[in-house]
Amino acid sequence: MPWTKDRLESVVRERLDGLKVVVVANREPYVHTYDGDAIRCLRPASGLTTALDPVMRVCGGTWVAHGSGNADQAVVDERDRVAVPPECPSYTLRRVWLTKAEEQGYYYGFANEALWPLCHIAYTRPKFDRADWVQYVEVNRKFADAVLDEVGDEPALVFIQDYHFAMLPRMLKNARDDLVVAQFWHIPWPNRETFRVCPWQDEILDGLLGNDLLAFHIQYHCNNFLNTVDRSLESKVDMEHFSVTRGGRTTLVRPHPISIAPELVAAALPADVAPEAMRFRRRLRLGSVPLLIGVDRVDYTKGIPERFAAVDRLLTLYPELRGTFTFVQVGAPSRVHIPAYRHLNEDIARQVDEINWRHGQLTWRPIVLLNEHFDAGQVALLYRIAAGCVVSSLHDGMNLVAKEFIAARDDCLGTLVLSPFTGAARELTDAILVNPYAVDEFAEALRLALTMPPEEQERRMRRMRAQIADNNIYRWAGMLLSEAGKLAGARQPVGEPV
Ligand code: F6P
């Protein structure tokens, strides 16, 4: 039976047995900002929020997040809550306010300058700063207070997202041992040798072992986590059942590959693609050449310079390809207060300029860089009209752009060039898999993406579409929440819920 919204809804009803669901994520699913005197509600460029919003629409409950929009305070009630989505409210968003110093130390500092590079191993050195660490712990405490206020005395399942909250599970358990606490770590977990350079590794591991269930995208990251604990903390690690027992409490460690709601991507497509495509091409002076595309936050883990180097190599090896295609890169600005991200933006702009100068002709530019935020409709259109989509992460927990691209291809055409260092590569084996560090192979993969016969494209695309139709976000949430529900004592047999 396929996983749908309705099936998830019945799983939540039956398996969670009345438990209140509280999701905690740093990023909020809806941001309110001023536009002159008017207030606009935007959706951030985040795979996490895009994936979880449809789940929360089904589950109801509360999403606790950092209120980051400049009009966020203007729309909340006296308990800092607002009902979302604005067009058909179905769950509550509880906003937590952070001072500038807290945001700097917790989000930019410890989460994104220490844990992010540490876990991704993309050759950007992690920065460990005690003041950042202190803010990180304090902000975790602030979120714990908000969660405890939301749950009151009720039984609840707290579902924590990501590396911003390594200390939160233990804090919650210390306050309310009866809460079911589960966490999904959206980024990779490195091997123990890599992780042990973190000065607060024991505190982080102990914090995470406050969870009843800790999930990663793939088994490999679960194994890395278990090995890290085994060789660092006093605990009993069970490699057969994938669990850790410490201080008499057990944490299950499980793989749950995240996904998307394919029908929502398809729904974002324009009713009539051709005229919209024409308008888009005209605006950017793209002519009618085939497009290769990239859609990313500008992040050093995404392998953006590597993909441009491959375009450069392709045009050097095959000068006859000049003028025959264009690479359109949408690069949503991200974490720009961090020096490594600022430098990356500058490096990319310089690189594009050099490549366009080297190979460009009259009005044709090999690379069009759009350093801006595209909304869901614009991204879906781009996916739908591309000859190929390039996902070249140097390391990525999953990568949902790869899955969204497939969801948008209701014509069953287009090629996906995919890094084997993404979680998605484990599932999307019909993509053109290529190591982004290997520039010659990468250039050949781009050539293949541009020249693959339509029948072959269709064969691969059909299989990949079937893959994401089966393994969608409702399945991810249904499996994960049922597993958590079982821990809460819901009396269900083991196995896939019906
Ligand atoms: O990939 C990890 C992640 O936290 C995602 O879950 C999220 O979509 C993305 O990074 C966005 O990051 P930020 O919230 O820092 O903009």
Side-chain angles (χ1 to χ4, degrees):
M1 186 171 40
W3 275 93
T4 58
K5 274 202 312 236
D6 294 345
R7 184 170 170 200
L8 175 60
E9 203 158 39
S10 61
V11 163
V12 168
R13 237 188 351 261
E14 288 159 23
R15 302 262 162 156
L16 298 188
D17 209 13
L19 279 185
K20 177 169 186 172
V21 178
V22 178
V23 161
V24 187
N26 171 67
R27 187 66 62 196
E28 50 183 351
Y30 298 91
V31 185
H32 289 91
T33 55
Y34 282 111
D35 184 1
D37 283 345
I39 291 181
R40 290 178 59 200
C41 183
L42 305 173
R43 310 200 50 184
S46 151
L48 183 153
T49 54
T50 312
L52 270 171
D53 177 61
V55 173
M56 285 303 279
R57 288 179 191 220
V58 173
C59 298
T62 303
W63 180 318
V64 180
H66 169 211
S68 58
N70 61 11
D72 275 0
Q73 305 218 5
V75 299
V76 293
D77 65 13
E78 65 291 346
R79 291 189 61 199
D80 299 325
R81 294 154 138 208
V82 58
V84 290
E87 64 282 8
C88 59
S90 40
Y91 66 97
T92 302
L93 172 58
R94 161 84 183 249
R95 286 174 166 151
V96 173
W97 314 116
L98 300 182
T99 63
K100 265 238 164 84
E102 285 170 336
E103 191 179 355
Q104 177 59 44
Y106 140 83
Y107 173 77
Y108 288 107
F110 198 72
N112 285 312
E113 285 194 277
L115 286 178
W116 179 268
L118 180 70
C119 289
H120 278 91
I121 331 174
Y123 306 100
T124 293
R125 188 178 169 145
K127 180 178 145 229
F128 299 111
D129 180 311
R130 175 165 293 280
D132 289 348
W133 165 247
V134 169
Q135 292 286 15
Y136 181 85
V137 176
E138 278 174 14
V139 170
N140 271 240
R141 162 71 49 211
K142 213 170 190 177
F143 273 83
D145 292 343
V147 171
L148 293 168
D149 181 46
E150 282 301 321
V151 296
D153 298 327
E154 287 177 65
L157 162 62
V158 184
F159 184 23
I160 303 168
Q161 310 302 314
D162 239 342
Y163 59 99
H164 310 87
F165 299 115
M167 306 304 283
L168 180 58
R170 177 68 70 206
M171 290 172 177
L172 292 175
K173 278 289 184 184
N174 285 348
R176 280 272 310 268
D177 195 30
D178 63 311
L179 291 176
V180 183
V181 182
Q183 183 161 17
F184 190 78
W185 192 265
H186 289 251
I187 64 176
W189 190 277
N191 62 43
R192 194 254 172 173
E193 285 312 307
T194 302
F195 193 73
R196 69 195 288 231
V197 303
C198 176
W200 301 284
Q201 57 168 328
D202 289 355
E203 289 88 333
I204 288 172
L205 294 174
D206 181 65
L208 290 171
L209 292 175
N211 283 300
D212 298 293
L213 171 65
L214 174 61
F216 297 90
H217 292 291
I218 57 176
Q219 185 65 49
Y220 183 63
H221 298 151
C222 296
N223 294 350
N224 277 349
F225 179 79
L226 290 166
N227 285 327
T228 308
V229 172
D230 199 22
R231 294 175 55 199
S232 319
L233 274 195
E234 201 169 310
S235 59
K236 183 171 172 300
V237 175
D238 182 341
M239 288 305 271
E240 208 176 311
H241 298 100
F242 303 108
S243 64
V244 183
T245 304
R246 175 169 162 84
R249 295 201 55 266
T250 297
T251 303
L252 301 183
V253 180
R254 296 282 189 269
H256 283 280
I258 202 168
S259 194
I260 56 163
E263 78 282 6
L264 294 185
V265 178
L269 281 167
D272 201 352
V273 171
E276 291 299 327
M278 203 136 71
R279 251 193 296 279
F280 177 77
R281 283 179 178 274
R282 210 175 295 132
R283 174 164 80 85
L284 295 173
R285 289 183 280 114
L286 295 170
S288 57
V289 295
L291 305 180
L292 291 178
I293 61 162
V295 178
D296 306 82
R297 286 181 305 104
V298 180
D299 192 297
Y300 52 80
T301 60
K302 302 293 180 188
I304 298 170
E306 285 73 7
R307 82 182 62 147
F308 292 162
V311 171
D312 188 18
R313 183 63 56 91
L314 178 67
L315 293 169
T316 306
L317 290 173
Y318 303 98
E320 65 277 15
L321 290 181
R322 289 179 187 166
T324 67
F325 74 94
T326 298
F327 197 110
V328 178
Q329 174 69 47
V330 177
S334 181
R335 305 175 190 167
V336 285
H337 300 305
I338 297 175
Y341 286 76
R342 270 205 308 277
H343 297 151
L344 178 67
N345 275 285
E346 290 158 12
D347 290 350
I348 287 174
R350 199 174 318 115
Q351 187 190 16
V352 168
D353 197 48
E354 279 167 16
I355 295 171
N356 283 349
W357 171 249
R358 195 156 35 249
H359 303 287
Q361 303 164 332
L362 296 173
T363 59
W364 178 75
R365 295 165 294 168
I367 302 175
V368 172
L369 177 60
L370 303 168
N371 227 204
E372 58 198 79
H373 178 68
F374 266 40
D375 67 26
Q378 293 170 299
V379 173
L381 175 71
L382 194 57
Y383 288 145
R384 179 61 173 67
I385 66 175
C389 176
V390 181
V391 173
S392 55
S393 310
L394 306 182
H395 202 181
D396 216 329
M398 174 52 65
N399 194 288
L400 295 180
V401 166
K403 295 187 174 181
E404 286 177 2
F405 168 67
I406 294 164
R409 297 314 295 244
D410 53 6
D411 59 346
C412 283
L413 289 174
T415 49
L416 174 64
V417 178
L418 182 60
S419 161
F421 312 130
T422 59
R426 314 264 169 149
E427 298 171 69
L428 303 174
T429 48
D430 280 294
I432 301 170
L433 295 172
V434 69
N435 174 357
Y437 290 95
V439 65
D440 291 298
E441 286 85 340
F442 199 168
E444 289 300 340
L446 296 183
R447 195 160 84 104
L448 178 58
L450 286 165
T451 55
M452 186 181 282
E455 313 75 59
E456 174 70 7
Q457 290 181 32
E458 188 174 336
R459 230 184 344 265
R460 291 179 184 230
M461 188 55 83
R462 281 196 189 285
R463 284 197 292 253
M464 292 195 287
R465 283 174 67 80
Q467 222 290 333
I468 61 161
D470 285 348
N471 296 294
N472 57 22
I473 189 67
Y474 306 113
R475 180 173 198 278
W476 175 80
M479 299 295 283
L480 217 152
L481 294 177
S482 313
E483 196 156 13
K486 264 187 275 170
L487 296 171
R491 318 136 299 269
Q492 302 299 332
V494 180
E496 179 148 336
V498 285

Short mmCIF file of all heavy atoms in Angstrom, two decimals, residues 20-22 28 30 32 60-65 67 71-84 89 91-97 145-152 154:
data_model
loop_
_atom_site.label_atom_id
_atom_site.label_comp_id
_atom_site.label_asym_id
_atom_site.label_seq_id
_atom_site.Cartn_x
_atom_site.Cartn_y
_atom_site.Cartn_z
N LYS A 20 0.86 14.10 22.32
CA LYS A 20 1.04 15.39 21.64
C LYS A 20 2.37 15.36 20.89
O LYS A 20 3.37 14.86 21.43
CB LYS A 20 1.04 16.49 22.70
CG LYS A 20 1.28 17.85 22.14
CD LYS A 20 1.01 18.94 23.15
CE LYS A 20 1.15 20.26 22.39
NZ LYS A 20 0.74 21.38 23.14
N VAL A 21 2.41 15.87 19.66
CA VAL A 21 3.67 15.89 18.91
C VAL A 21 4.25 17.30 18.94
O VAL A 21 3.59 18.27 18.56
CB VAL A 21 3.46 15.46 17.44
CG1 VAL A 21 4.77 15.53 16.66
CG2 VAL A 21 2.89 14.05 17.38
N VAL A 22 5.50 17.40 19.41
CA VAL A 22 6.19 18.69 19.39
C VAL A 22 7.47 18.52 18.58
O VAL A 22 8.33 17.71 18.92
CB VAL A 22 6.56 19.16 20.82
CG1 VAL A 22 7.34 20.47 20.77
CG2 VAL A 22 5.32 19.32 21.67
N GLU A 28 12.41 27.99 11.14
CA GLU A 28 10.95 27.96 11.18
C GLU A 28 10.41 27.72 9.76
O GLU A 28 11.03 28.14 8.78
CB GLU A 28 10.39 29.24 11.78
CG GLU A 28 10.94 30.51 11.20
CD GLU A 28 10.41 31.76 11.88
OE1 GLU A 28 9.49 31.67 12.71
OE2 GLU A 28 10.92 32.85 11.57
N TYR A 30 7.72 29.01 8.42
CA TYR A 30 7.14 30.24 7.86
C TYR A 30 7.79 31.41 8.56
O TYR A 30 7.89 31.43 9.79
CB TYR A 30 5.62 30.28 8.09
CG TYR A 30 4.94 29.12 7.36
CD1 TYR A 30 4.74 27.90 8.00
CD2 TYR A 30 4.57 29.25 6.02
CE1 TYR A 30 4.17 26.83 7.33
CE2 TYR A 30 4.00 28.18 5.34
CZ TYR A 30 3.81 26.98 6.00
OH TYR A 30 3.27 25.92 5.32
N HIS A 32 7.83 35.63 8.88
CA HIS A 32 7.09 36.86 8.57
C HIS A 32 8.07 38.03 8.46
O HIS A 32 8.89 38.24 9.35
CB HIS A 32 6.04 37.14 9.65
CG HIS A 32 4.91 36.16 9.61
ND1 HIS A 32 4.90 34.99 10.32
CD2 HIS A 32 3.75 36.19 8.89
CE1 HIS A 32 3.77 34.32 10.05
NE2 HIS A 32 3.07 35.03 9.19
N GLY A 60 -0.59 17.73 13.08
CA GLY A 60 -1.00 18.80 13.98
C GLY A 60 0.12 19.00 15.00
O GLY A 60 1.28 18.71 14.73
N GLY A 61 -0.20 19.49 16.18
CA GLY A 61 0.83 19.68 17.22
C GLY A 61 1.54 21.00 17.06
O GLY A 61 1.01 21.95 16.45
N THR A 62 2.76 21.05 17.58
CA THR A 62 3.48 22.34 17.67
C THR A 62 4.89 22.19 17.10
O THR A 62 5.55 21.19 17.33
CB THR A 62 3.59 22.78 19.15
OG1 THR A 62 2.27 22.84 19.68
CG2 THR A 62 4.25 24.12 19.30
N TRP A 63 5.31 23.22 16.39
CA TRP A 63 6.69 23.29 15.88
C TRP A 63 7.37 24.43 16.64
O TRP A 63 6.91 25.57 16.58
CB TRP A 63 6.65 23.57 14.38
CG TRP A 63 7.98 23.69 13.67
CD1 TRP A 63 9.10 24.32 14.08
CD2 TRP A 63 8.28 23.14 12.37
NE1 TRP A 63 10.10 24.21 13.14
CE2 TRP A 63 9.62 23.49 12.07
CE3 TRP A 63 7.57 22.40 11.43
CZ2 TRP A 63 10.25 23.13 10.88
CZ3 TRP A 63 8.19 22.05 10.24
CH2 TRP A 63 9.53 22.40 9.96
N VAL A 64 8.43 24.10 17.37
CA VAL A 64 9.17 25.13 18.13
C VAL A 64 10.42 25.50 17.32
O VAL A 64 11.20 24.62 16.95
CB VAL A 64 9.60 24.59 19.52
CG1 VAL A 64 10.35 25.65 20.30
CG2 VAL A 64 8.39 24.09 20.30
N ALA A 65 10.58 26.80 17.03
CA ALA A 65 11.70 27.23 16.18
C ALA A 65 12.16 28.63 16.55
O ALA A 65 11.42 29.39 17.21
CB ALA A 65 11.26 27.21 14.71
N GLY A 67 12.46 32.32 16.01
CA GLY A 67 11.72 33.34 15.26
C GLY A 67 12.73 34.30 14.65
O GLY A 67 13.30 35.13 15.35
N ALA A 71 9.27 40.56 11.14
CA ALA A 71 7.88 40.80 11.55
C ALA A 71 7.33 39.63 12.37
O ALA A 71 6.13 39.59 12.66
CB ALA A 71 7.01 41.05 10.32
N ASP A 72 8.18 38.70 12.73
CA ASP A 72 7.71 37.52 13.47
C ASP A 72 7.01 37.89 14.78
O ASP A 72 5.99 37.32 15.14
CB ASP A 72 8.89 36.58 13.78
CG ASP A 72 9.21 35.62 12.63
OD1 ASP A 72 8.51 35.70 11.60
OD2 ASP A 72 10.14 34.82 12.77
N GLN A 73 7.59 38.88 15.49
CA GLN A 73 7.01 39.24 16.79
C GLN A 73 5.66 39.90 16.63
O GLN A 73 4.82 39.84 17.53
CB GLN A 73 7.95 40.18 17.55
CG GLN A 73 9.34 39.60 17.70
CD GLN A 73 9.98 39.90 19.04
OE1 GLN A 73 9.34 40.47 19.91
NE2 GLN A 73 11.22 39.52 19.22
N ALA A 74 5.45 40.52 15.47
CA ALA A 74 4.21 41.28 15.27
C ALA A 74 3.00 40.38 15.07
O ALA A 74 1.87 40.83 15.24
CB ALA A 74 4.37 42.21 14.06
N VAL A 75 3.22 39.11 14.73
CA VAL A 75 2.05 38.27 14.39
C VAL A 75 1.75 37.19 15.44
O VAL A 75 0.79 36.45 15.29
CB VAL A 75 2.22 37.60 13.01
CG1 VAL A 75 2.34 38.64 11.90
CG2 VAL A 75 3.43 36.67 12.99
N VAL A 76 2.61 37.07 16.49
CA VAL A 76 2.38 36.00 17.46
C VAL A 76 1.43 36.45 18.57
O VAL A 76 1.23 37.65 18.78
CB VAL A 76 3.70 35.51 18.11
CG1 VAL A 76 4.59 34.84 17.08
CG2 VAL A 76 4.43 36.64 18.82
N ASP A 77 0.85 35.48 19.29
CA ASP A 77 0.00 35.81 20.43
C ASP A 77 0.88 36.01 21.68
O ASP A 77 2.12 36.01 21.59
CB ASP A 77 -1.08 34.73 20.63
CG ASP A 77 -0.50 33.38 21.03
OD1 ASP A 77 0.71 33.31 21.39
OD2 ASP A 77 -1.23 32.38 20.99
N GLU A 78 0.23 36.11 22.84
CA GLU A 78 1.01 36.40 24.05
C GLU A 78 1.91 35.24 24.46
O GLU A 78 2.83 35.42 25.26
CB GLU A 78 0.09 36.86 25.21
CG GLU A 78 -0.90 35.85 25.75
CD GLU A 78 -2.04 35.52 24.76
OE1 GLU A 78 -2.24 36.24 23.75
OE2 GLU A 78 -2.71 34.52 25.01
N ARG A 79 1.68 34.04 23.90
CA ARG A 79 2.58 32.92 24.18
C ARG A 79 3.53 32.66 23.02
O ARG A 79 4.07 31.55 22.87
CB ARG A 79 1.77 31.66 24.51
CG ARG A 79 1.05 31.80 25.85
CD ARG A 79 0.43 30.48 26.27
NE ARG A 79 1.42 29.43 26.46
CZ ARG A 79 1.13 28.13 26.46
NH1 ARG A 79 -0.11 27.74 26.28
NH2 ARG A 79 2.08 27.23 26.66
N ASP A 80 3.73 33.64 22.19
CA ASP A 80 4.67 33.56 21.06
C ASP A 80 4.27 32.52 20.03
O ASP A 80 5.12 31.88 19.41
CB ASP A 80 6.11 33.27 21.57
CG ASP A 80 6.61 34.36 22.50
OD1 ASP A 80 6.25 35.53 22.26
OD2 ASP A 80 7.33 34.04 23.47
N ARG A 81 2.96 32.34 19.86
CA ARG A 81 2.49 31.32 18.93
C ARG A 81 1.74 31.94 17.76
O ARG A 81 1.08 32.97 17.92
CB ARG A 81 1.52 30.38 19.64
CG ARG A 81 2.15 29.58 20.72
CD ARG A 81 1.12 29.22 21.72
NE ARG A 81 1.29 27.83 22.14
CZ ARG A 81 0.32 27.06 22.57
NH1 ARG A 81 -0.91 27.51 22.60
NH2 ARG A 81 0.56 25.84 22.95
N VAL A 82 1.81 31.26 16.63
CA VAL A 82 1.01 31.66 15.47
C VAL A 82 0.57 30.38 14.76
O VAL A 82 1.33 29.40 14.71
CB VAL A 82 1.81 32.62 14.54
CG1 VAL A 82 3.11 32.00 14.05
CG2 VAL A 82 0.98 33.06 13.34
N ALA A 83 -0.66 30.39 14.24
CA ALA A 83 -1.16 29.19 13.54
C ALA A 83 -0.67 29.23 12.10
O ALA A 83 -0.69 30.27 11.44
CB ALA A 83 -2.67 29.17 13.58
N VAL A 84 -0.21 28.11 11.60
CA VAL A 84 0.29 28.00 10.22
C VAL A 84 -0.23 26.70 9.61
O VAL A 84 -0.65 25.80 10.35
CB VAL A 84 1.85 28.00 10.18
CG1 VAL A 84 2.39 29.35 10.53
CG2 VAL A 84 2.45 26.92 11.08
N PRO A 89 -4.62 27.04 8.42
CA PRO A 89 -3.89 26.70 9.65
C PRO A 89 -4.17 25.27 10.11
O PRO A 89 -5.32 24.87 10.24
CB PRO A 89 -4.43 27.71 10.66
CG PRO A 89 -4.89 28.85 9.83
CD PRO A 89 -5.40 28.26 8.55
N TYR A 91 -1.38 23.57 12.20
CA TYR A 91 -0.55 23.32 13.38
C TYR A 91 -0.06 24.65 13.94
O TYR A 91 -0.30 25.71 13.35
CB TYR A 91 0.59 22.34 13.08
CG TYR A 91 1.66 22.81 12.11
CD1 TYR A 91 2.85 23.36 12.55
CD2 TYR A 91 1.50 22.66 10.73
CE1 TYR A 91 3.85 23.75 11.66
CE2 TYR A 91 2.48 23.04 9.83
CZ TYR A 91 3.65 23.59 10.31
OH TYR A 91 4.64 23.98 9.42
N THR A 92 0.61 24.57 15.11
CA THR A 92 1.04 25.79 15.81
C THR A 92 2.54 25.97 15.65
O THR A 92 3.30 25.02 15.79
CB THR A 92 0.72 25.66 17.31
OG1 THR A 92 -0.67 25.43 17.44
CG2 THR A 92 1.12 26.89 18.09
N LEU A 93 2.95 27.19 15.36
CA LEU A 93 4.37 27.53 15.35
C LEU A 93 4.65 28.33 16.61
O LEU A 93 4.05 29.38 16.84
CB LEU A 93 4.68 28.35 14.09
CG LEU A 93 6.07 28.96 13.97
CD1 LEU A 93 7.17 27.90 14.03
CD2 LEU A 93 6.20 29.74 12.64
N ARG A 94 5.54 27.80 17.46
CA ARG A 94 5.93 28.51 18.69
C ARG A 94 7.32 29.08 18.46
O ARG A 94 8.28 28.34 18.20
CB ARG A 94 5.94 27.53 19.86
CG ARG A 94 6.73 27.97 21.07
CD ARG A 94 5.92 28.87 21.99
NE ARG A 94 6.70 29.35 23.10
CZ ARG A 94 6.52 28.99 24.36
NH1 ARG A 94 5.60 28.11 24.67
NH2 ARG A 94 7.26 29.51 25.32
N ARG A 95 7.42 30.38 18.56
CA ARG A 95 8.70 31.02 18.25
C ARG A 95 9.53 31.26 19.50
O ARG A 95 9.01 31.68 20.54
CB ARG A 95 8.45 32.34 17.50
CG ARG A 95 8.02 32.05 16.06
CD ARG A 95 7.61 33.27 15.31
NE ARG A 95 7.53 32.96 13.87
CZ ARG A 95 6.72 33.56 13.02
NH1 ARG A 95 5.95 34.54 13.41
NH2 ARG A 95 6.72 33.20 11.74
N VAL A 96 10.83 31.01 19.38
CA VAL A 96 11.78 31.28 20.45
C VAL A 96 12.64 32.45 19.98
O VAL A 96 13.13 32.44 18.85
CB VAL A 96 12.68 30.03 20.70
CG1 VAL A 96 13.79 30.33 21.70
CG2 VAL A 96 11.83 28.85 21.17
N TRP A 97 12.77 33.46 20.84
CA TRP A 97 13.54 34.65 20.43
C TRP A 97 14.98 34.51 20.90
O TRP A 97 15.23 34.12 22.05
CB TRP A 97 12.92 35.92 21.02
CG TRP A 97 11.43 35.96 20.85
CD1 TRP A 97 10.50 35.96 21.84
CD2 TRP A 97 10.69 35.99 19.62
NE1 TRP A 97 9.24 35.99 21.30
CE2 TRP A 97 9.32 36.00 19.95
CE3 TRP A 97 11.05 35.99 18.27
CZ2 TRP A 97 8.32 36.03 18.99
CZ3 TRP A 97 10.05 36.01 17.31
CH2 TRP A 97 8.71 36.04 17.67
N ASP A 145 13.19 24.93 27.67
CA ASP A 145 12.14 25.62 28.45
C ASP A 145 10.88 25.80 27.61
O ASP A 145 9.77 25.59 28.09
CB ASP A 145 12.65 27.00 28.93
CG ASP A 145 13.75 26.84 29.98
OD1 ASP A 145 13.89 25.74 30.55
OD2 ASP A 145 14.48 27.83 30.21
N ALA A 146 11.08 26.18 26.34
CA ALA A 146 9.90 26.39 25.47
C ALA A 146 9.16 25.07 25.24
O ALA A 146 7.93 25.03 25.28
CB ALA A 146 10.34 26.99 24.14
N VAL A 147 9.91 23.98 25.04
CA VAL A 147 9.27 22.68 24.81
C VAL A 147 8.50 22.25 26.05
O VAL A 147 7.35 21.83 25.97
CB VAL A 147 10.33 21.60 24.44
CG1 VAL A 147 9.70 20.21 24.42
CG2 VAL A 147 10.97 21.91 23.11
N LEU A 148 9.13 22.41 27.22
CA LEU A 148 8.47 21.98 28.46
C LEU A 148 7.21 22.81 28.71
O LEU A 148 6.20 22.30 29.18
CB LEU A 148 9.45 22.07 29.64
CG LEU A 148 10.61 21.07 29.54
CD1 LEU A 148 11.70 21.38 30.55
CD2 LEU A 148 10.12 19.63 29.71
N ASP A 149 7.27 24.08 28.35
CA ASP A 149 6.09 24.93 28.48
C ASP A 149 4.99 24.44 27.53
O ASP A 149 3.81 24.40 27.90
CB ASP A 149 6.50 26.37 28.15
CG ASP A 149 5.33 27.32 28.27
OD1 ASP A 149 4.61 27.22 29.28
OD2 ASP A 149 5.11 28.13 27.35
N GLU A 150 5.36 24.04 26.32
CA GLU A 150 4.37 23.56 25.35
C GLU A 150 3.72 22.26 25.80
O GLU A 150 2.53 22.06 25.59
CB GLU A 150 5.02 23.34 23.97
CG GLU A 150 5.26 24.61 23.18
CD GLU A 150 3.98 25.40 22.91
OE1 GLU A 150 2.94 24.77 22.63
OE2 GLU A 150 4.03 26.63 22.99
N VAL A 151 4.50 21.34 26.36
CA VAL A 151 3.91 20.03 26.70
C VAL A 151 3.14 20.08 28.02
O VAL A 151 2.25 19.26 28.23
CB VAL A 151 4.96 18.89 26.74
CG1 VAL A 151 5.57 18.68 25.37
CG2 VAL A 151 6.03 19.10 27.77
N GLY A 152 3.44 21.03 28.88
CA GLY A 152 2.75 21.10 30.17
C GLY A 152 2.91 19.78 30.91
O GLY A 152 4.02 19.25 31.00
N GLU A 154 1.23 17.09 29.95
CA GLU A 154 0.71 16.05 29.06
C GLU A 154 1.80 15.07 28.63
O GLU A 154 2.98 15.43 28.57
CB GLU A 154 0.19 16.70 27.77
CG GLU A 154 -1.08 17.45 27.92
CD GLU A 154 -1.44 18.10 26.59
OE1 GLU A 154 -1.70 17.36 25.62
OE2 GLU A 154 -1.42 19.33 26.52
#
